[in-house]
């Protein structure tokens, strides 16, 4: 089965991001707005049990932290993805890095650029039009993150939450 | 905010149910296939904290249990909903009933008929056609349930998981 790890931010932020995703993100219906902490990986049921214990110990040793958002960015020309940039955060980076160690030692397909996708799979022209427009959005947002989730992917491409990990608590 | 409580069954069962929902359920993209344990209810952030502690204690005192599915049913004429019936289960009934007590003492809009929706909001004619076809499906399924989830609803109608409760563990 294919698993992934993500943070779902507050309802307010999800609603805001969805107002753009609805138009610009074909994955809109497959998963709620999220910050990917670990890209999709394959695991057996047995591997998963070890991984969950490991993730739980990481969560247990992590304190809730703040994230700040004030900028729209793009992964063009690598990918035509437009996103809300989550400002550099040592805690977020450390959490991400730990989720690629031990029984989760997978190859990282990209450098870690924490973000919330607003649009993707746009044509070059559409990308440049939409980016120009979205760059003018006035956004300044701060919130506290106190949990993250382990998800698995269904055959239709959508994601279901399997487990919630709370900082300072583990599973 | 609006919250709800549901069980997400195994990936296999979700995939099976989604193969029907894709055609017959307009809520297909809003939530993964699930067994509703508690209908949507409004709660403030403060109420929620008390409710989570209460749900956690219920989960803590519940043992994992089996569910059996071998029949397609319909809520017609009340609602044109076609579903996989989850066979009567004392544990499931008890869990449901407890989730309507204490700080979760809300009115129940329906009697508890545990099910996985395959289709809904069908016209009378469509309902009768589809039901006739789906009643011929040969299904016999058993699985163990060891967790359930608290979700909240976004403005677009979709649901995000807030917390996972595991039986025998609480939060």
């Amino acid at each position: 089965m294919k698993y992934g790890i993500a943070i779902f931010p507050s309802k307010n932020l999800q609603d805001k991001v969805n107002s753009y995703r609805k138009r610009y993100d074909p994955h809109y219906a497959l998963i709620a707005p999220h910050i990917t902490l670990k890209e999709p990986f394959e695991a057996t049921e047995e591997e998963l049990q070890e991984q969950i214990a490991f993730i739980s110990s990481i969560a247990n040793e992590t304190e809730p932290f703040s994230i700040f958002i004030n900028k729209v960015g793009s992964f063009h020309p690598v990918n035509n993805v437009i996103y809300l940039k989550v400002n550099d955060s040592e805690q977020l980076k450390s959490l991400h890095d730990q989720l690629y160690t031990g029984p989760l030692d997978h190859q990282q397909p990209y450098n870690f650029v924490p973000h919330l996708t607003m649009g993707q799979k746009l044509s070059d022209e559409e990308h440049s039009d939409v980016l120009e427009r979205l760059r003018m959005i006035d956004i300044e947002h701060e919130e506290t993150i106190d949990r993250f989730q382990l998800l698995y992917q269904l055959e239709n491409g959508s994601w279901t939450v399997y487990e919630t990990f709370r900082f300072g608590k583990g599973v």
Side-chain angles (χ1 to χ4, degrees), chain A:
Chain A
M1 250 157 81
K2 196 181 267 183
Y3 296 89
I5 303 178
I7 291 169
F8 294 104
S10 65
K11 173 179 179 295
N12 280 350
L13 186 53
Q14 288 185 60
D15 286 337
K16 184 158 188 79
V17 175
N18 264 342
S19 68
Y20 302 104
R21 293 181 75 211
K22 186 173 185 171
R23 296 178 61 184
Y24 304 124
D25 183 359
H27 291 184
Y28 174 64
L30 300 180
I31 187 166
H34 61 278
I35 301 166
T36 301
L37 283 175
K38 186 175 172 69
E39 296 289 332
F41 59 99
E42 286 287 343
T44 63
E45 184 57 38
E46 201 184 355
E47 288 167 339
L48 186 71
Q49 294 316 313
E50 194 195 352
Q51 288 163 345
I52 286 177
F54 182 74
I55 300 169
S56 182
S57 70
I58 294 172
N60 193 36
E61 285 158 30
T62 304
E63 295 286 317
F65 56 85
S66 290
I67 59 168
F68 300 87
I69 287 167
N70 61 7
K71 207 180 127 185
V72 170
S74 162
F75 291 131
H76 181 85
V78 178
N79 283 310
N80 286 358
V81 172
I82 298 171
Y83 59 83
L84 277 182
K85 182 166 169 32
V86 178
N87 287 0
D88 289 340
S89 149
E90 267 180 46
Q91 294 106 317
L92 198 52
K93 175 80 167 73
S94 159
L95 181 57
H96 164 272
D97 291 351
Q98 290 178 76
L99 293 173
Y100 278 92
T101 60
L104 294 170
D105 181 19
H106 301 101
Q107 201 162 3
Q108 296 184 38
Y110 312 107
N111 286 330
F112 183 52
V113 181
H115 67 279
L116 287 147
T117 297
M118 303 169 86
Q120 61 185 325
K121 300 190 188 288
L122 303 164
S123 70
D124 283 344
E125 195 181 4
E126 206 180 3
H127 169 270
S128 117
D129 282 0
V130 174
L131 182 59
E132 192 177 354
R133 225 168 325 135
L134 295 192
R135 277 223 163 112
M136 298 194 306
I137 294 169
D138 197 19
I139 187 160
E140 186 133 7
H141 181 88
E142 174 179 359
E143 68 177 65
T144 301
I145 302 299
D146 69 351
R147 66 192 59 217
F148 61 95
Q149 324 249 9
L150 173 70
L151 303 97
Y152 55 91
Q153 191 170 30
L154 301 184
E155 292 307 312
N156 69 357
S158 69
W159 292 84
T160 301
V161 168
Y162 185 70
E163 188 64 82
T164 309
F165 299 89
R166 292 202 286 170
F167 297 141
K169 296 215 182 175
V171 171

